[in-house]
Amino acid sequence: MISGFVRPDGKVGIRNKVLILSTVGCANNTVKRIAAQVEGTVALPNVKGCGQIGKGIDIMRRCLANVTQNPNVYGTIIVGLGCETTKPHELAEHVRSLSDKPVEVFTIQELGGTPRAIAHGVALARKMVAEAALVPRVPVDPSKIVLATNCGGSDATSGLAANPTVGACSDILISKGGTVMLGETTELIGTEHLLGERAKNEKVRDDIYTIVQDLEHQFIANGIDVRGANPTPGNMKGGLSTLEEKALGGISKGGSGPINQVVGYGEIPSENGLVIMDTPGYDIESVSGMAVGGAQICIFTSGRGNPVGNALIPVIKVTGNPETYGSMKENTDLDTSGAIDGSDTINSLGEKLYGILEDVCNGMPCKSEAFGFDDFAVYHNQEIWCTCDLS
């Protein structure tokens, strides 16, 4: 049984947050100070938002609009400086066209400075939080859940136990009509032929090859050797020898079913089932992209241990390394090492993980959420990025 908050567009949130969204780095401190004064809000600073051109500004505008549509968000207060490229009032109008969620907008310049902007934002936030509190949590169908998957600090146990366990959990959710996102395009390199064989049609297969090959070509054109960053020193110390070996373990997070769609960074999938999102290998940017794309929850594997969370979605941590679980138990929600020593099975652990998923959906805080970890970062590298059309 899963419960959640039904939104005007029919999507379901498992959390009920009011988003204080900055359109530009110049408004970040104002946004943070508003959120700090109003319980029930979450601040999303924005390190860019101005001085961008080409693909960078396109990605930024898409992500700023789509993040407001995450089902965990009740409503949004957009805060800008007033002279930035992202144009706060135009963004608000676009957001209003996407759904009937509450949206407010103001700029620091039009209100006459920081003190007035903070006071105005706090008043709006308190009103919106009070409205959000009236939305009841009700039973919902698991088909409404969009699960992000990610791995960081991988080691040899990740591909042997943790990632396959996530895959078994993914298969359970997909069997109930839900959606699972697989990302980190850098870590798909060398497995695209295997993923292509699972594509539901020729277009999806071509899109899989396109995002991988485009990334490889951009690396070559810019004289970048991906081996300098992937596998990382920690990956190699943990027993992973090549990017292909890491990728073979990583793709198992998506389970065993067909791949129904490939979407760009921060895009909202139109298909259920298994979806690939074209995200970078950096964990915080990857998870944030999937949250922007509508995931309400994430399962994150780490052989060496990783504490990061997310501002909008709970991030459940899974490891296959018993030593890591022993040393970082406060950061880790499930130990899957039993699949290696023979005391448990992947299918049994997958069912156990799905049970944890349901509990977190129903309001139980996962470890990263209990710590209040609110990491969030939108990908900005417009030079090394997919140039393909996935429409």
Side-chain angles (χ1 to χ4, degrees):
M1 174 71 71
I2 288 177
S3 64
F5 306 93
V6 180
R7 304 306 181 196
D9 57 6
K11 295 179 181 178
V12 171
I14 63 168
R15 298 295 184 265
N16 200 29
K17 300 174 183 284
V18 168
L19 177 62
I20 316 296
L21 179 64
S22 171
T23 61
V24 66
C26 311
N28 284 350
N29 283 315
T30 299
V31 160
K32 291 176 185 176
R33 294 187 185 196
I34 293 169
Q37 295 185 48
V38 185
E39 186 176 356
T41 64
V42 57
L44 275 196
N46 181 7
V47 298
K48 295 269 188 175
C50 197
Q52 293 173 276
I53 59 174
K55 196 176 299 180
I57 192 63
D58 292 340
I59 292 172
M60 174 56 58
R61 284 173 172 160
R62 176 170 71 240
C63 289
L64 288 175
N66 285 352
V67 74
T68 68
Q69 303 307 298
N70 183 286
N72 290 350
V73 173
Y74 166 79
T76 303
I77 299 171
I78 297 172
V79 183
L81 175 60
C83 55
E84 60 267 38
T85 311
T86 46
K87 299 179 181 178
H89 288 280
E90 288 187 14
L91 173 63
E93 286 305 307
H94 178 52
V95 169
R96 292 185 181 109
S97 74
L98 298 176
S99 74
D100 292 328
K101 287 184 175 186
V103 180
E104 299 286 351
V105 59
F106 64 89
T107 72
I108 298 166
Q109 290 174 347
E110 68 192 13
L111 285 176
T114 299
R116 294 183 184 87
I118 292 174
H120 185 66
V122 167
L124 291 175
R126 286 176 176 159
K127 180 175 182 294
M128 196 174 288
V129 166
E131 294 168 352
L134 299 177
V135 180
R137 182 183 280 274
V138 298
V140 298
D141 196 87
S143 63
K144 297 292 189 178
I145 299 301
V146 181
L147 170 66
T149 66
N150 208 83
C151 50
S154 300
D155 68 4
T157 70
S158 297
L160 291 171
N163 291 336
T165 295
V166 176
C169 177
S170 295
D171 282 343
I172 294 172
L173 179 61
I174 289 171
S175 74
K176 297 176 182 292
T179 302
V180 175
M181 291 185 186
L182 180 66
E184 300 176 287
T185 305
T186 308
E187 294 166 23
L188 305 182
I189 294 173
T191 63
E192 60 269 30
H193 61 298
L194 300 176
L195 296 170
E197 292 172 356
R198 295 168 56 187
K200 78 166 186 177
N201 56 36
E202 186 175 343
K203 181 185 185 305
V204 174
R205 184 197 65 194
D206 289 346
D207 286 344
I208 292 168
Y209 275 93
T210 297
I211 62 172
V212 174
Q213 291 174 357
D214 182 82
L215 186 61
E216 290 179 319
H217 293 159
Q218 296 248 12
F219 283 144
I220 293 169
N222 287 271
I224 294 173
D225 185 352
V226 70
R227 293 171 299 181
N230 220 330
T232 66
N235 294 153
M236 290 183 282
K237 188 175 181 180
L240 294 174
S241 61
T242 63
L243 178 54
E244 290 83 0
E245 183 181 20
K246 184 178 181 181
L248 285 166
I251 64 172
S252 66
K253 298 192 301 294
S256 58
I259 298 168
N260 291 335
Q261 191 177 17
V262 178
V263 296
Y265 184 84
E267 291 185 358
I268 300 172
S270 58
E271 297 280 346
N272 288 358
L274 182 56
V275 173
I276 292 177
M277 178 178 281
D278 189 11
T279 74
Y282 178 48
D283 302 326
I284 295 174
E285 291 176 340
S286 180
V287 174
S288 297
M290 289 184 271
V292 169
Q296 304 106 316
I297 190 167
C298 175
I299 299 178
F300 187 118
T301 67
S302 182
R304 298 181 60 79
N306 191 313
V308 302
N310 185 270
L312 292 181
I313 66 177
V315 181
I316 299 169
K317 293 295 174 49
V318 178
T319 188
N321 190 321
E323 293 182 2
T324 295
Y325 186 71
S327 65
M328 296 187 66
K329 191 171 184 178
E330 294 84 359
N331 296 109
T332 311
D333 297 276
L334 180 65
D335 175 15
T336 63
S337 61
I340 299 174
D341 64 26
S343 62
D344 214 331
T345 67
I346 293 296
N347 287 338
S348 173
L349 288 164
E351 292 173 359
K352 186 180 296 185
L353 181 56
Y354 184 78
I356 294 172
L357 175 73
E358 283 194 336
D359 288 342
V360 174
C361 284
N362 291 333
M364 182 187 81
C366 57
K367 297 291 180 66
S368 62
E369 196 176 19
F371 274 115
F373 293 158
D374 58 355
D375 307 280
F376 202 92
V378 170
Y379 185 80
H380 293 290
N381 190 340
Q382 65 189 65
E383 297 300 327
I384 310 297
W385 196 244
C386 175
T387 58
C388 55
D389 180 8
L390 298 178
S391 61

